[in-house]
Amino acid sequence: MRKVLAFLLPTMLFLTACGGASTPAEFDQDGKSAGAVETLESVEVTDAGPDTAPEVEFDAPLDITEQGARAMTEGDGAALEAGQNVSVHVLSLNPEDGSPLQNSYEAGAPQTLPLDEELQEVYPPLYEVLLGSKVGSHIAFAIPAEEEVPQSQDVLLMLQVISAENPPQKLSSEEVAELEEAGQLPTVTLNDEGVPSIEFPDNEAPADLVVKVIEEGTGEEVTEADTIAANYTGWSWQGEQFDSSFDRGEPSEFPLSGVIPGWTQGLSGLKVGAKVLLVIPSDMAYGDQPAQGPAGPLAFYVEIVEKVSAE
């Protein structure tokens, strides 16, 4: 249940640096920009639609020494807001000769980019330019190599904003009760040994986080800063079991700060001894195309056994 940091783009994470200076984003005749935008002066992009990589031209090689971002075209959709999950297509180019390094258009699936504090901290120019830009915009983003990482290299990214959605939220107990009354939640059954089985409804998974308390706990309250021991079983929304501490015969320990967001938000505030059903949307689990872990919305039965004391 370790959290997979499905931050933005594999190319950005594995080929590039995390540092870089930033200046406030501004709109001028050349578009919204932030950071070392002089690097991008020669870059030109020709839109080819939402499903095809754009044509990109520039005076090679680009001298990339700091992060810099610039809106190359302005879309005609809604403006992006802080906290949204932004769907982007990514074309990654070698700034030495323009050769492609990664192309999400070919894969046929945009990547999800949270417009959050983590992006603001790690890639500040990109955050500044994306914030307030419109769906449909093309963004150029230059990232320098990190000298301490042998395999890193300078990268020019071209991002096309495909859509944006507000992230899923934790439903209230009243909203959970409404879903249960409507028959839209899984039903958990415990056998004589307390091992769970589950039956799923025919509907699609809820879009938000469901925390259905099956039995209230009577022990200490747990917080996001705590490590807990828990018994659990996890299923995909299709009903396939993918993990269970019951099969291993003992509880597992997890820091709630180091697991998927659905666990962190779903278990924080409960008390030791609580037994709950978690229904977790994809964005709060491992995503739709995870590098590891099951894809899509998930369901968990969880028993909080104890709060583990720090050593």
Side-chain angles (χ1 to χ4, degrees):
M1 290 308 307
R2 296 289 179 183
K3 179 180 179 182
V4 177
L5 188 60
F7 187 48
L8 170 60
L9 322 154
T11 299
M12 293 172 70
L13 288 178
F14 296 113
L15 299 180
T16 68
C18 290
S22 174
T23 58
E26 297 179 351
F27 261 116
D28 55 24
Q29 67 273 17
D30 296 322
K32 193 177 184 183
S33 61
V37 293
E38 61 276 5
T39 302
L40 303 170
E41 287 181 354
S42 68
V43 178
E44 297 181 358
V45 59
T46 302
D47 184 284
D51 302 318
T52 305
E55 180 181 341
V56 181
E57 297 180 344
F58 57 84
D59 295 336
L62 293 180
D63 182 20
I64 299 177
T65 58
E66 297 181 18
Q67 291 185 23
R70 176 181 165 193
M72 306 302 299
T73 67
E74 184 176 10
D76 56 7
L80 305 184
E81 301 177 3
Q84 289 185 317
N85 288 329
V86 182
S87 177
V88 293
H89 264 310
V90 183
L91 176 64
S92 174
L93 302 173
N94 187 331
E96 292 293 322
D97 55 14
S99 58
L101 300 173
Q102 183 190 25
N103 185 344
S104 70
Y105 296 89
E106 291 182 349
Q111 301 187 36
T112 299
L113 169 59
L115 194 55
D116 58 11
E117 293 180 355
E118 188 172 14
L119 180 67
Q120 186 176 20
E121 178 182 353
V122 179
Y123 301 111
L126 181 59
Y127 178 91
E128 293 286 349
V129 172
L130 282 171
L131 188 63
S133 289
K134 296 180 180 181
V135 171
S137 298
H138 286 273
I139 311 294
F141 183 36
I143 317 173
E146 186 174 5
E147 294 181 359
E148 294 78 9
V149 180
Q151 294 182 341
S152 73
Q153 65 183 87
D154 297 345
V155 174
L156 173 64
L157 293 179
M158 301 301 304
L159 293 82
Q160 184 177 10
V161 180
I162 303 302
S163 62
E165 296 180 349
N166 292 323
Q169 304 293 320
K170 179 180 175 180
L171 295 179
S172 67
S173 57
E174 292 79 12
E175 291 169 323
V176 172
E178 290 177 2
L179 288 176
E180 184 175 17
E181 185 176 352
Q184 296 183 356
L185 295 182
T187 301
V188 174
T189 303
L190 305 179
N191 67 14
D192 293 340
E193 287 74 39
V195 178
S197 59
I198 196 168
E199 182 177 348
F200 283 85
D202 293 333
N203 53 274
E204 293 185 359
D208 294 298
L209 174 64
V210 170
V211 182
K212 176 189 171 183
V213 178
I214 298 172
E215 183 177 320
E216 296 281 359
T218 58
E220 285 187 89
E221 183 175 308
V222 300
T223 70
E224 292 186 9
D226 289 324
T227 294
I228 66 168
N231 272 317
Y232 69 92
T233 299
W235 300 268
S236 69
W237 190 255
Q238 291 73 33
E240 180 180 353
Q241 179 181 312
F242 59 85
D243 193 10
S244 179
S245 69
F246 293 95
D247 292 347
R248 296 189 290 274
E250 61 181 4
S252 298
E253 292 186 7
F254 304 104
L256 286 183
S257 61
V259 292
I260 58 176
W263 266 54
T264 304
Q265 296 185 32
L267 299 181
S268 297
L270 299 178
K271 294 181 179 180
V272 172
K275 300 178 180 180
V276 298
L277 167 69
L278 302 178
V279 179
I280 304 177
S282 178
D283 287 348
M284 300 182 76
Y286 297 98
D288 292 323
Q289 294 182 316
Q292 65 182 58
L298 308 176
F300 287 91
Y301 170 77
V302 183
E303 299 176 355
I304 304 177
V305 176
E306 66 175 322
K307 183 162 67 171
V308 180
S309 300
E311 297 182 357

